[in-house]
Amino acid sequence: GAVVSQHPSWVICKSGTSVKIECRSLDFQATTMFWYRQFPKQSLMLMATSNEGSKATYEQGVEKDKFLINHASLTLSTLTVTSAHPEDSSFYICSARDPGQGAHRAYEQYFGPGTRLTVT
Amino acid sequence: QQPVQSPQAVILREGEDAVINCSSSKALYSVHWYRQKHGEAPVFLMILLKGGEQKGHDKISASFNEKKQQSSLYLTASQLSYSGTYFCGTELDRDDKIIFGKGTRLHILP
């Protein structure tokens, strides 16, 4: 199956600093990637849709100046949490849409392993 | 727009069956099912596209009703490895974003 990687797996940073998380599709080209945030025992909340070569589309309530998304290539999207605060601590998961799944008319979406961010 | 999953949680003994439902107030283009274990990312199980479609793998199967507003996931003769939280994700249109339900926590007892 399609593989998506994320780096780092976890990060601890001080309040006010910025953190960059990378999401890579390893064996397919992903024109669209998604960034989710998940709090303990809660659902996956979509933050933004990242399209290669264009600006990301943010969900309502997500600050685009705080969560910077760049999708510079067909295999890499990055999420930068700027001026992080303790309330930004969460599990951030990316997913990538695989366009090469044959007869499907909907694209399968595969998740990366996630990045646990702790802001102290 | 968030799909509604039921039940919220299920406790089973190994070998028992379970059904998880996912419903929407709008007609759906597709339904995606995932399983997530604690501390890990969700793992893709299957997509359903066509009304009336049913598909499965091993002892996990799913259906998508004709009106395309509800899907059910069936776990037959559950195994300990089936434990986790199951999420359904729904698309309203092709190439649309997937919106996930709140999840159903499944715990299998030996």
Side-chain angles (χ1 to χ4, degrees):
Chain A
V3 180
V4 177
S5 69
Q6 260 183 262
H7 179 80
S9 300
W10 58 270
V11 57
I12 301 172
C13 69
K14 291 187 181 298
S15 186
T17 60
S18 295
V19 173
K20 180 186 280 189
I21 302 170
E22 292 185 350
C23 177
R24 294 181 185 272
S25 56
L26 297 186
D27 52 1
F28 65 99
Q29 294 184 327
T31 53
T32 305
M33 292 184 173
F34 303 88
W35 287 96
Y36 294 84
R37 181 165 57 181
Q38 187 177 37
F39 293 106
K41 296 187 178 180
Q42 293 190 21
S43 187
L44 299 146
M45 300 306 299
L46 180 64
M47 298 175 66
T49 301
S50 170
N51 293 298
E52 187 266 338
S54 64
K55 291 183 179 180
T57 303
Y58 290 83
E59 293 300 300
Q60 193 172 9
V62 177
E63 299 175 58
K64 60 181 179 182
D65 294 330
K66 180 171 182 61
F67 299 99
L68 301 179
I69 291 172
N70 184 275
H71 194 156
S73 77
L74 288 172
T75 58
L76 174 64
S77 176
T78 60
L79 168 68
T80 301
V81 183
T82 62
S83 188
H85 288 100
E87 56 266 31
D88 297 325
S89 298
S90 188
F91 191 48
Y92 290 86
I93 314 176
C94 73
S95 69
R97 181 177 272 163
D98 184 350
Q101 289 300 311
H104 287 302
R105 288 180 289 115
Y107 301 129
E108 294 176 6
Q109 194 168 305
Y110 294 92
F111 284 88
T115 297
R116 188 159 303 283
L117 170 64
T118 303
V119 184
T120 61
Chain B
Q1 267 190 334
Q2 183 178 39
V4 177
Q5 283 186 239
S6 64
Q8 290 184 325
V10 183
I11 300 176
L12 297 175
R13 292 211 172 271
E14 199 173 5
E16 293 181 335
D17 302 339
V19 179
I20 299 171
N21 297 305
C22 175
S23 64
S24 169
S25 58
K26 297 184 178 183
L28 302 170
Y29 179 77
S30 68
V31 177
H32 303 234
W33 285 98
Y34 290 83
R35 175 173 60 215
Q36 184 181 32
K37 293 187 180 288
H38 181 68
E40 300 178 10
V43 173
F44 172 79
L45 295 176
M46 62 189 81
I47 289 180
L48 296 130
L49 282 171
K50 302 175 185 177
E53 183 175 25
Q54 298 180 40
K55 60 170 62 172
H57 181 68
D58 289 336
K59 295 179 179 178
I60 299 176
S61 61
S63 64
F64 193 11
N65 81 351
E66 287 289 346
K67 292 184 178 179
K68 301 183 73 173
Q69 289 187 249
Q70 184 179 28
S71 177
S72 296
L73 185 72
Y74 307 93
L75 299 113
T76 306
S78 57
Q79 304 168 16
L80 293 176
S81 61
Y82 288 178
S83 291
T85 301
Y86 289 79
F87 291 99
C88 72
T90 56
E91 282 181 291
L92 296 181
D93 291 298
R94 183 182 179 183
D95 293 350
D96 199 0
K97 58 194 177 188
I98 297 175
I99 302 298
F100 288 91
K102 292 186 176 181
T104 295
R105 287 194 298 281
L106 176 65
H107 187 62
I108 310 294
L109 300 172

